[in-house]
Amino acid sequence: MTNQVPSSIAERRLDKVPNFPERRKPIGFMLRLVKALHTYGVPTYELEGLMAKVANQLDYGVQVICVPTSITMTFMQDEDNPQTYVIRSNSGEVNVDKLRRTMEVAQDVINDDISTEQGAELLSEITRSKPVHNKFWMVFCFSLVSASIARIFSGGWQEVVTASVIGLVVGLLVNNSPRLQSVSSLMPALCAFLASIISFAFNKWLGLHSTYIPIVSGIIVLVPGLMLTIAMAELATQNLVSGTARLLGAGMIFIQMTFGVAIGGQLAGYFFPAESLVEASLMPSWTLWIALMTTSWSFMILFQSRWQELPWIIVATLIAFWISRWGVAEMGQTTGAFLGALSVGLFANLAYKIKQVPTASIMMPGFIILVPGSVGFKSLTALLENDIVGGLETAFNMVIIGISLVTGLLISSIATLPKPKPKQR
């Protein structure tokens, strides 16, 4: 999950650029539309195709190049000279509701249901609108999802309590990051550092079966597993520049987190001398179902999905967990990841056809359960501890799992965009 950066701030900057096309004109509208979609994390292979359809409807020829940090668009019309614009942009807030509404604006323009003037006004309303769920619930769900993931990782009640505290601290930091711009770029390292300190401290007070489970569970929302999977999907669709840049970005976040855990662990070892880890105290099996349900509800809040989408998110989470678990047990980790991704993709397609549920609402929670982010984090931790063979083996497994996820995603023929329902004419 990416850091929360208000898209409205980013869009207002275009209005303040001297001589920039006015938002109600076709070119101005398309530039703001592409920036909004890019901000919400739409993959390159989908964004470029969508903007080509919008431009074609408006009688413009267009060439689009998107990378994670910028957008380049060239417009051509009749005999006019081509006009090229470069926009500096970063993927920002994860907001399924705003993404769905922005996609509906794009689709309405493609269907000629609204003009670019109306579309520009709608985009402005979307960026100014309040989130579906406020910051209080966001912070609370950081804690809740961390506790739930600790249980899913077979942690005992000590690990669940520790992870919930770590998640609460991480949620407070992430949701106040706009006020802490000086440290926002180091947020993964800072959160991992604090997670390590808290985990070792709770091991001193409560006695843990594993200090690793609370750390990973507490920062699981920040682990760039989804970014890694999208990067590999972009590489698979020959978007090499964007895929490579996103892949390196995910790698840097992994490195930051590993560094934070390493420094935090050494400092915590000084202040909280290591206690011998206790034997695992397994929680009742029914608590796993509660963990999966609360994880689904938390994802709905964190990704700003709507309440009516919650039943579908719950089913997607259960499908991702149980099918991948069955596949791993019966056919191995690679096949399990492939079957999980394929099942989530097919279910997302089915949900859209039945109830027009935005596919992002289902794909994102499902892939958080499946993505190999925690595996990559574990591989870097092993390398840092001089376990070279173990670290490289784990890293190789992460790559294979990522390839399996992408293959399942592509075979399911599902886009990660929240496809809007076409309006009845």
Side-chain angles (χ1 to χ4, degrees), residues 194-425:
L194 293 175
S196 186
I197 293 287
I198 295 171
S199 182
F200 275 80
F202 273 69
N203 180 46
K204 178 75 173 179
W205 299 328
L206 297 179
L208 302 179
H209 162 59
S210 168
T211 56
Y212 179 76
I213 289 177
I215 293 174
V216 176
S217 302
I219 60 176
I220 190 69
V221 178
L222 302 182
V223 171
L226 186 61
M227 181 190 296
L228 176 66
T229 304
I230 292 176
M232 300 185 78
E234 289 179 338
L235 291 173
T237 54
Q238 297 302 304
N239 290 278
L240 303 181
V241 175
S242 179
T244 301
R246 205 181 296 270
L247 188 64
L248 291 176
M252 288 305 300
I253 295 176
F254 277 128
I255 291 173
Q256 279 197 48
M257 288 184 166
T258 305
F259 176 77
V261 169
I263 298 299
Q266 292 181 1
L267 190 61
Y270 177 78
F271 288 104
F272 309 103
E275 298 285 339
S276 57
L277 297 175
V278 300
E279 294 184 3
S281 56
L282 297 179
M283 302 182 70
S285 57
W286 55 266
T287 58
L288 179 60
W289 289 95
I290 295 179
L292 290 171
M293 294 296 179
T294 55
T295 298
S296 303
W297 182 77
S298 299
F299 284 154
M300 180 198 69
I301 302 295
L302 292 173
F303 296 141
Q304 296 293 334
S305 298
R306 293 181 176 270
W307 282 97
Q308 57 264 36
E309 295 157 12
L310 178 59
W312 300 93
I313 295 174
I314 292 175
V315 175
T317 303
L318 294 176
I319 287 175
F321 180 78
W322 290 112
I323 289 184
S324 62
R325 193 181 201 188
W326 174 83
V328 169
E330 297 294 329
M331 290 169 279
Q333 197 170 29
T334 302
T335 305
F338 167 76
L339 291 176
L342 179 63
S343 301
V344 171
L346 292 175
F347 177 71
N349 193 27
L350 180 65
Y352 168 71
K353 289 181 179 298
I354 295 175
K355 286 290 185 179
Q356 285 72 49
V357 179
T359 58
S361 294
I362 293 177
M363 296 293 289
M364 293 176 72
F367 266 65
I368 287 290
I369 299 294
L370 294 171
V371 290
S374 59
V375 180
F377 180 69
K378 186 176 181 180
S379 70
L380 288 176
T381 303
L383 290 173
L384 201 61
E385 295 174 349
N386 294 322
D387 184 5
I388 306 300
V389 175
L392 292 177
E393 181 181 0
T394 307
F396 179 76
N397 290 336
M398 177 193 68
V399 173
I400 296 300
I401 293 171
I403 293 172
S404 300
L405 291 174
V406 171
T407 304
L409 172 64
L410 296 178
I411 291 178
S412 69
S413 299
I414 187 69
T416 55
L417 294 177
K419 299 175 183 176
K421 179 181 179 180
K423 288 190 176 182
Q424 301 296 329
R425 290 179 178 269

Side-chain angles (χ1 to χ4, degrees), residues 60-72:
Y60 279 86
V62 68
Q63 291 292 316
V64 186
I65 299 176
C66 292
V67 297
T69 56
S70 67
I71 308 165
T72 302

